[in-house]
Amino acid sequence: MRKMLITIGILAIIFVGMIIYNRIRVDNVNTVSVEEIQNVEDSITKVYLWREITKEAIPTFDNINEANETWIWEAVKNNLENYEVTYEEIEGKAKEIFGEEFNKEFPKEGNSSFTYDEENNIYIATEVELDQEEDSFLLDNINKTDNGYEVEITEYLEDYSDENSIIIKTTNDEEIGRVAVDDSETKIQEIVKSNIDRFTKKKVYLKSENNTLVIVKVERM
């Protein structure tokens, strides 16, 4: 019985690994572990937003302090657990997400991401109104660096405006293909992979800091 449970556990780990590796196009299993791929994906996902709000789901920048401000504070808002927060909580979350080199100060009067309630001295997260297109990315390649990773991603859109199918599009709204609404994410990724040269690609630079990965640079490829 114990051997059977161990075998089942090993098979489960292999299955999870296969799912994760399916999200990366280039086979680099000899240099990057399943856990590393998951950490990289999670780090990008938490700051990968919505182009209808921030113009790009993830903008390009050479220095995090020069990145699109709307994207910065929307990323902070997206990672806060509460809708009513203090100034210190906003600043703290920004440092947590973007690292110790991040030095932009949140405007005390509030902005489009947080309105200031002067009476109660708190900030209230604004609502996000999204369209029917989901911004997505595929891990294209991951290279280790001395203190982090250089990650190539392919960007695409999943359009849910048609009730009978999901439309796969480029970020320039070019339709690439369609899948049935009950098809898996894997089917969508297969279409993206088979048309990889038609999509926008970016390189994301991640740095390891305080046992987490922070984004420090994004460039278009």
Side-chain angles (χ1 to χ4, degrees):
M1 182 67 179
R2 183 180 179 187
K3 288 183 178 180
M4 182 182 295
L5 291 174
I6 293 173
T7 301
I8 293 173
I10 292 173
L11 290 174
I13 292 172
I14 293 173
F15 179 70
V16 171
M18 290 174 62
I19 293 174
I20 294 173
Y21 276 122
N22 188 56
R23 293 185 62 82
I24 184 165
R25 189 172 68 95
V26 176
D27 185 4
N28 54 7
V29 295
N30 293 323
T31 58
V32 184
S33 69
V34 171
E35 183 180 5
E36 286 177 297
I37 292 175
Q38 188 65 64
N39 289 339
V40 164
E41 184 176 31
D42 290 345
S43 298
I44 297 175
T45 297
K46 69 182 180 182
V47 296
Y48 199 83
L49 304 180
W50 321 276
R51 65 175 187 156
E52 64 266 40
I53 304 296
T54 60
K55 306 303 181 186
E56 293 181 275
I58 189 168
T60 56
F61 55 87
D62 290 325
N63 182 303
I64 186 59
N65 295 299
E66 299 170 357
N68 178 290
E69 286 211 23
T70 301
W71 172 77
I72 286 174
W73 301 117
E74 285 294 314
V76 171
K77 179 174 72 177
N78 193 49
N79 284 275
L80 285 166
E81 296 182 359
N82 300 315
Y83 288 99
E84 295 184 358
V85 292
T86 64
Y87 186 87
E88 290 73 23
E89 287 173 324
I90 295 173
E91 290 271 286
K93 182 59 70 172
K95 282 285 188 182
E96 177 187 319
I97 296 172
F98 300 122
E100 294 303 320
E101 293 182 11
F102 180 75
N103 58 29
K104 296 187 75 68
E105 292 186 4
F106 179 73
K108 292 191 175 181
E109 68 276 12
N111 59 13
S112 60
S113 300
F114 298 91
T115 57
Y116 179 50
D117 181 345
E118 187 174 1
E119 181 178 351
N120 296 300
N121 192 29
I122 59 171
Y123 293 83
I124 303 172
T126 57
E127 293 186 14
V128 176
E129 295 183 8
L130 302 177
D131 58 25
Q132 292 181 290
E133 294 180 342
E134 181 177 330
D135 297 86
S136 302
F137 68 90
L138 182 73
L139 295 176
D140 203 12
N141 200 10
I142 302 175
N143 291 315
K144 284 186 179 181
T145 61
D146 290 340
N147 63 344
Y149 303 88
E150 293 179 3
V151 186
E152 297 173 9
I153 66 171
T154 298
E155 299 186 295
Y156 62 98
L157 301 174
E158 297 176 17
D159 186 341
Y160 293 87
S161 59
D162 186 336
E163 63 180 16
N164 297 313
S165 63
I166 302 171
I167 308 168
I168 297 91
K169 300 163 64 175
T170 70
T171 53
N172 294 320
D173 288 315
E174 176 190 1
E175 182 176 332
I176 302 299
R178 296 185 180 222
V179 300
V181 292
D182 56 352
D183 276 335
S184 67
E185 186 70 21
T186 299
K187 182 68 173 180
I188 294 174
Q189 291 165 9
E190 287 174 355
I191 292 176
V192 174
K193 290 176 184 178
S194 62
N195 295 275
I196 201 75
D197 292 333
R198 299 172 69 179
F199 293 91
T200 300
K201 299 177 182 63
K202 290 176 181 174
K203 181 178 284 190
V204 180
Y205 295 79
L206 299 170
K207 182 178 72 171
S208 180
E209 186 177 290
N210 298 324
N211 296 318
T212 189
L213 293 174
V214 297
I215 187 168
V216 295
K217 179 180 177 180
V218 179
E219 60 185 21
R220 193 177 298 275
M221 298 176 62

